[in-house]
Amino acid sequence: MNANAIRLNHDDHTIIITKDFAKKSGNPTTNEYKDLMRIKNQNRDYTVVVKTTTKRNDGTSKITKAKMKAYISKHDDENGTIMAQFKAMVDEEVGENLNRTSFFAIKKWFFEQYSDLKPDTQNAKA
């Protein structure tokens, strides 16, 4: 049994299970079903609740070059230096030289310029 799959909340008198655990416990031949029934029998006045998680949408997970360009155009300094750097990275041809910068390198650079927009990497694993 996964240690995080089932939890007791004594304040609310609930047995909290994950969505995956709930699916597996629906089959009476599984260990999850046996574990849930054992815990339910030990805590007869508790109700079973499936834990739901909300998807974090911070707006930066779906960032595009167009969104970066729009943000830079609104927040660039008067000299336009950040936009000039952005255009130099995005434009594939600069004179006779090819300057190919990967999207991930551009994204990293963008968040270095605007660190207040940088997504929280510790919670991104959720």
Side-chain angles (χ1 to χ4, degrees):
M1 178 173 69
N2 183 354
N4 296 327
I6 191 163
R7 202 176 74 227
L8 293 176
N9 184 338
H10 297 292
D11 295 333
D12 295 339
H13 293 279
T14 55
I15 302 168
I16 304 167
I17 59 175
T18 63
K19 185 178 178 181
D20 186 51
F21 188 87
K23 184 178 179 180
K24 291 177 182 176
S25 67
N27 182 348
T29 62
T30 62
N31 289 333
E32 287 81 0
Y33 174 83
K34 293 171 188 169
D35 291 338
L36 182 60
M37 289 301 105
R38 180 180 47 80
I39 292 172
K40 182 66 177 152
N41 285 331
Q42 291 171 354
N43 302 284
R44 292 186 185 271
D45 59 335
Y46 284 41
T47 57
V48 178
V49 176
V50 178
K51 176 176 68 171
T52 58
T53 59
T54 56
K55 186 174 181 180
R56 194 178 117 227
N57 186 7
D58 60 3
T60 58
S61 60
K62 305 254 184 203
I63 192 143
T64 63
K65 289 180 187 177
K67 288 181 182 178
M68 285 186 239
K69 184 176 182 179
Y71 188 86
I72 293 170
S73 67
K74 292 179 184 175
H75 297 91
D76 197 3
D77 57 10
E78 293 141 15
N79 299 333
T81 54
I82 295 175
M83 183 60 81
Q85 292 174 358
F86 178 75
K87 285 183 178 180
M89 284 191 294
V90 172
D91 291 340
E92 292 185 3
E93 290 189 35
V94 180
E96 294 180 8
N97 300 327
L98 287 177
N99 183 17
R100 295 184 189 255
T101 306
S102 75
F103 174 77
F104 296 106
I106 295 169
K107 184 177 173 180
K108 180 181 176 187
W109 170 86
F110 177 77
F111 286 123
E112 286 172 356
Q113 302 305 310
Y114 299 102
S115 59
D116 56 322
L117 297 178
K118 190 171 187 176
D120 185 14
T121 55
Q122 291 178 343
N123 292 333
K125 297 176 182 177

mmCIF file of all heavy atoms in Angstrom, residues 1 3 20 22 25 31 49 52 76 83 88-89 100 106 119:
data_model
loop_
_atom_site.group_PDB
_atom_site.id
_atom_site.type_symbol
_atom_site.label_atom_id
_atom_site.label_comp_id
_atom_site.label_asym_id
_atom_site.label_seq_id
_atom_site.Cartn_x
_atom_site.Cartn_y
_atom_site.Cartn_z
ATOM 1 N N MET A 1 0.849 -1.182 0.000
ATOM 2 C CA MET A 1 0.000 0.000 0.000
ATOM 3 C C MET A 1 0.890 1.239 0.000
ATOM 4 O O MET A 1 1.842 1.335 0.750
ATOM 5 C CB MET A 1 -0.910 -0.005 1.233
ATOM 6 C CG MET A 1 -1.777 1.231 1.321
ATOM 7 S SD MET A 1 -3.021 1.209 2.626
ATOM 8 C CE MET A 1 -2.041 1.324 4.089
ATOM 9 N N ALA A 3 1.925 4.766 1.016
ATOM 10 C CA ALA A 3 1.714 5.486 2.274
ATOM 11 C C ALA A 3 0.885 6.754 2.085
ATOM 12 O O ALA A 3 0.174 7.170 2.992
ATOM 13 C CB ALA A 3 3.061 5.843 2.898
ATOM 14 N N ASP A 20 -6.473 7.235 -7.568
ATOM 15 C CA ASP A 20 -5.933 5.960 -8.034
ATOM 16 C C ASP A 20 -6.282 4.832 -7.062
ATOM 17 O O ASP A 20 -6.674 3.739 -7.461
ATOM 18 C CB ASP A 20 -4.412 6.065 -8.207
ATOM 19 C CG ASP A 20 -3.806 4.830 -8.814
ATOM 20 O OD1 ASP A 20 -4.306 4.381 -9.870
ATOM 21 O OD2 ASP A 20 -2.830 4.299 -8.230
ATOM 22 N N ALA A 22 -8.811 4.788 -5.015
ATOM 23 C CA ALA A 22 -10.261 4.557 -5.095
ATOM 24 C C ALA A 22 -10.598 3.640 -6.264
ATOM 25 O O ALA A 22 -11.433 2.741 -6.146
ATOM 26 C CB ALA A 22 -10.990 5.890 -5.237
ATOM 27 N N SER A 25 -9.440 0.152 -5.341
ATOM 28 C CA SER A 25 -10.215 -0.442 -4.246
ATOM 29 C C SER A 25 -11.629 -0.824 -4.675
ATOM 30 O O SER A 25 -12.356 -1.471 -3.924
ATOM 31 C CB SER A 25 -10.268 0.502 -3.048
ATOM 32 O OG SER A 25 -11.014 1.650 -3.361
ATOM 33 N N ASN A 31 -5.597 -5.818 -3.084
ATOM 34 C CA ASN A 31 -5.118 -5.491 -1.734
ATOM 35 C C ASN A 31 -5.663 -4.145 -1.259
ATOM 36 O O ASN A 31 -5.885 -3.948 -0.067
ATOM 37 C CB ASN A 31 -3.596 -5.486 -1.693
ATOM 38 C CG ASN A 31 -3.021 -6.875 -1.810
ATOM 39 O OD1 ASN A 31 -3.661 -7.859 -1.449
ATOM 40 N ND2 ASN A 31 -1.808 -6.969 -2.335
ATOM 41 N N VAL A 49 -13.639 9.611 1.597
ATOM 42 C CA VAL A 49 -13.622 10.768 0.709
ATOM 43 C C VAL A 49 -12.455 10.600 -0.259
ATOM 44 O O VAL A 49 -11.339 10.269 0.157
ATOM 45 C CB VAL A 49 -13.449 12.081 1.510
ATOM 46 C CG1 VAL A 49 -13.323 13.278 0.592
ATOM 47 C CG2 VAL A 49 -14.584 12.262 2.488
ATOM 48 N N THR A 52 -9.204 15.200 -4.087
ATOM 49 C CA THR A 52 -9.075 15.810 -5.397
ATOM 50 C C THR A 52 -8.007 16.887 -5.325
ATOM 51 O O THR A 52 -7.854 17.560 -4.304
ATOM 52 C CB THR A 52 -10.397 16.439 -5.855
ATOM 53 O OG1 THR A 52 -10.801 17.403 -4.894
ATOM 54 C CG2 THR A 52 -11.475 15.381 -6.021
ATOM 55 N N ASP A 76 9.308 46.536 -21.350
ATOM 56 C CA ASP A 76 10.706 46.815 -21.698
ATOM 57 C C ASP A 76 11.062 48.243 -21.280
ATOM 58 O O ASP A 76 10.194 49.106 -21.145
ATOM 59 C CB ASP A 76 10.905 46.642 -23.206
ATOM 60 C CG ASP A 76 12.377 46.501 -23.585
ATOM 61 O OD1 ASP A 76 13.237 46.482 -22.678
ATOM 62 O OD2 ASP A 76 12.660 46.396 -24.784
ATOM 63 N N MET A 83 13.942 43.862 -25.734
ATOM 64 C CA MET A 83 13.285 43.446 -26.971
ATOM 65 C C MET A 83 14.323 43.178 -28.057
ATOM 66 O O MET A 83 14.185 42.221 -28.829
ATOM 67 C CB MET A 83 12.290 44.502 -27.439
ATOM 68 C CG MET A 83 11.525 44.101 -28.685
ATOM 69 S SD MET A 83 10.526 42.596 -28.510
ATOM 70 C CE MET A 83 9.091 43.242 -27.703
ATOM 71 N N ALA A 88 16.981 39.157 -31.366
ATOM 72 C CA ALA A 88 18.233 38.548 -31.837
ATOM 73 C C ALA A 88 18.221 37.039 -31.597
ATOM 74 O O ALA A 88 18.749 36.275 -32.414
ATOM 75 C CB ALA A 88 19.430 39.194 -31.137
ATOM 76 N N MET A 89 17.608 36.610 -30.502
ATOM 77 C CA MET A 89 17.545 35.171 -30.229
ATOM 78 C C MET A 89 16.487 34.475 -31.074
ATOM 79 O O MET A 89 16.672 33.350 -31.515
ATOM 80 C CB MET A 89 17.227 34.925 -28.745
ATOM 81 C CG MET A 89 18.395 35.145 -27.835
ATOM 82 S SD MET A 89 18.083 34.554 -26.177
ATOM 83 C CE MET A 89 16.810 35.661 -25.644
ATOM 84 N N ARG A 100 20.578 30.049 -34.250
ATOM 85 C CA ARG A 100 19.454 29.233 -33.813
ATOM 86 C C ARG A 100 19.537 29.037 -32.304
ATOM 87 O O ARG A 100 20.442 28.399 -31.803
ATOM 88 C CB ARG A 100 19.462 27.892 -34.517
ATOM 89 C CG ARG A 100 19.248 28.038 -35.998
ATOM 90 C CD ARG A 100 19.162 26.686 -36.651
ATOM 91 N NE ARG A 100 19.165 26.844 -38.091
ATOM 92 C CZ ARG A 100 18.089 26.698 -38.844
ATOM 93 N NH1 ARG A 100 16.954 26.381 -38.306
ATOM 94 N NH2 ARG A 100 18.160 26.868 -40.135
ATOM 95 N N ILE A 106 15.520 30.300 -24.838
ATOM 96 C CA ILE A 106 14.826 31.590 -24.866
ATOM 97 C C ILE A 106 13.938 31.739 -23.629
ATOM 98 O O ILE A 106 13.909 32.789 -22.984
ATOM 99 C CB ILE A 106 13.987 31.730 -26.155
ATOM 100 C CG1 ILE A 106 14.910 31.766 -27.372
ATOM 101 C CG2 ILE A 106 13.117 32.979 -26.116
ATOM 102 C CD1 ILE A 106 14.193 31.642 -28.705
ATOM 103 N N PRO A 119 8.106 30.496 -12.672
ATOM 104 C CA PRO A 119 7.256 29.539 -11.941
ATOM 105 C C PRO A 119 7.994 28.951 -10.774
ATOM 106 O O PRO A 119 9.207 28.795 -10.796
ATOM 107 C CB PRO A 119 6.906 28.484 -12.987
ATOM 108 C CG PRO A 119 7.889 28.646 -14.078
ATOM 109 C CD PRO A 119 8.433 30.039 -14.003
#
